[in-house]
Amino acid sequence: MRDKKENFAGGFGARGVKDEELCAKSPILCTDKLFLSAFSFASIGMSLIAPDGQWIAVNNALCNLVGYSEAELLSKKFQDITHPEDVDEALTYFQQILSHERETYQREKRYIHKNGGIVFVLLNVSLVRDDDDKPLFFISQAQDITAQKKKRERADTPRVRGLSDRGEHQAALLRPWGAGDRSRRALP
């Protein structure tokens, strides 16, 4: 971002990458202070990604989500930290957007955290093109859904399902004769 005298006053909170360098790579980023502020201070992970998958810019929320510093992420492609089982699908979606088969996409995806753990995200991606329809960069928004996924996984475990089944058996035993199931099953 720039200050009132149009000097750079920070904005991406860059660690190792200056706004001047970022603006030289993608001048469109520095034309709108509102965009810079929204990007920098978003509570969800946001990034700008080159058509080849190289990160151009990342915000602090994304860095915190995946455990890498900004400088580390900017030296990588998104494929480098995407779960191996999710890479091909992600590249297919990127290609579909580049070839005008779709405008955007939303999907659940897994990243590999720097510590080796899996981070589940709900990812929204769209592409910015120049006036000649040349792809400039993808805008990616990643919302952490790891806690929700783990909660669903716990609910799907046999122990929890067993408790639910037992409740159904107890209800069947408490029904009076002639009101539904006559088998009078015993509890498991």
Side-chain angles (χ1 to χ4, degrees), residues 12-17 22 39 56-60 63 68-75:
F12 283 94
R15 290 165 277 188
V17 177
L22 187 60
F39 183 92
I56 298 170
V58 299
N59 70 358
N60 286 334
C63 293
Y68 289 92
S69 71
E70 183 173 4
E72 289 172 316
L73 284 178
L74 294 178
S75 70

Side-chain angles (χ1 to χ4, degrees), residues 77-113:
K77 292 184 175 188
F78 79 87
Q79 300 95 311
D80 297 332
I81 69 162
T82 297
H83 190 283
E85 294 175 6
D86 294 347
V87 172
D88 287 341
E89 185 179 30
L91 292 173
T92 298
Y93 280 123
F94 261 51
Q95 189 55 46
Q96 288 174 345
I97 291 176
L98 287 168
S99 65
H100 295 283
E101 291 177 53
R102 65 173 57 234
E103 290 183 26
T104 65
Y105 73 88
Q106 179 184 71
R107 65 183 281 258
E108 289 185 6
K109 176 181 177 173
R110 295 168 289 181
Y111 282 125
I112 305 295
H113 192 279

